[in-house]
Amino acid sequence: MSGASLLADVKGRIAEAARAAGRAPGDITLVAVSKTNGADKVQELIDAGQRVFGENRVQEAQEKFPALKARHPDLELHLIGPLQTNKARDAVALFDVIQSVDRDKLAASLAKEMEKAGRQLACFIQVNTGEEPQKAGVLPADLDAFVATCRDTYKLKVVGLMCIPPVDEEPALHFALLAKMAARNGLPQVSMGMSADYETAVRLGATHVRVGSALFGARPPLHA
Ligand SMILES: *Cc1c(COP(=O)(O)O)cnc(C)c1O
């Protein structure tokens, strides 16, 4: 299938899941996760009307997106992967939204670099809903305090929460938990759901779904 028809299929499924949940399809943003795919594949989706993309590594995004953004100034690029503080400046220069804010030191670096660059990027706090030791994200018990610190101490523009549920668990439980934590903190946006479960995420309140392989085809296992 072409990029355009895969895109139409995913958008149709999002709209259907939204309507089934009594939500407006326009309230859900599809973030096309282009990691490991070349600029040519990204361009195909841009030509089909897609404008919001996600990358999980700063360096890979730097190789692809400056030229694409120069051609299409209305592109919106989301960082969805772990960010090291020494890459904060590069991330602030290239990305429009940071979905992976997950620790104090990173929040401080981002705030400093945004101030220097005169750019206020929207931020999501990543939550480790499964409390997995190897996974990034704030633990649920620490979330409310961390949101307050990001807002009050660092003046970050916190718009929502993001999670990546454990692979071997029912994602719906994690999605429901994330939506509840966002509501509790007065955060309007919730980024959850990937290729395998984005329709479930939409039913449970996702405002952003991050879809890669369903749009671009399967990635080589190394990058899964
Ligand atoms: C790769 C990735 C996705 C997309 O995964 P698919 O299963 O290919 O849709 C979503 N979110 C994050 C954080 C990712 O790293």
Side-chain angles (χ1 to χ4, degrees):
M1 266 209 272
S2 70
S5 50
L6 291 170
L7 179 63
D9 180 64
V10 169
K11 280 163 65 171
R13 287 169 187 269
I14 290 171
E16 207 169 298
R19 277 188 219 102
R23 304 183 60 202
D27 291 348
I28 294 114
T29 299
L30 169 62
V31 181
V33 177
S34 48
K35 66 185 182 198
T36 78
N37 289 282
D40 54 331
K41 300 283 290 286
V42 177
Q43 185 67 55
E44 227 183 285
L45 288 197
I46 293 172
D47 292 343
Q50 178 66 21
R51 286 297 178 271
V52 184
F53 291 87
E55 285 280 341
N56 68 335
R57 294 162 145 201
V58 175
Q59 196 184 328
E60 185 182 341
Q62 282 175 321
E63 287 160 13
K64 277 184 261 185
F65 274 90
L68 291 165
K69 281 186 133 193
R71 280 203 295 277
H72 306 279
D74 58 340
L75 288 191
E76 184 179 293
L77 187 59
H78 292 231
L79 178 64
I80 59 168
L83 177 59
Q84 276 157 12
T85 50
N86 64 3
K87 293 273 176 69
R89 180 173 310 176
D90 290 345
V92 166
L94 178 62
F95 287 87
D96 302 292
V97 178
I98 308 284
Q99 291 208 7
S100 49
V101 180
D102 67 349
R103 61 200 188 280
D104 197 278
K105 204 167 157 237
L106 177 60
S109 293
L110 285 169
K112 191 179 85 191
E113 296 303 339
M114 287 183 203
E115 165 95 55
K116 272 201 222 156
R119 298 193 78 206
Q120 252 244 319
L121 279 61
C123 295
F124 288 73
I125 309 295
Q126 184 174 349
V127 186
N128 186 355
T129 57
E131 307 190 27
E132 297 172 280
Q134 82 287 5
K135 199 169 264 178
V138 182
L139 292 174
D142 300 333
L143 177 70
D144 296 6
F146 185 64
V147 169
T149 301
C150 287
R151 282 171 165 163
D152 303 338
T153 307
Y154 298 120
K155 315 289 183 209
L156 290 177
K157 187 169 136 196
V158 182
V159 298
L161 303 180
M162 180 270 242
C163 80
I164 309 169
V167 285
D168 53 353
E169 285 183 30
E170 173 52 59
L173 301 172
H174 295 271
F175 296 160
L177 174 65
L178 194 72
K180 197 172 100 182
M181 290 188 294
R184 187 171 78 205
N185 283 281
L187 296 169
Q189 300 185 8
V190 190
S191 171
M192 56 191 191
M194 318 203 304
S195 292
D197 50 26
Y198 64 90
E199 291 158 279
T200 304
V202 168
R203 283 195 288 275
L204 290 167
T207 61
H208 292 68
V209 292
R210 309 178 309 269
V211 179
S213 43
L215 289 172
F216 289 99
R219 287 181 298 275
L222 183 65
H223 294 285

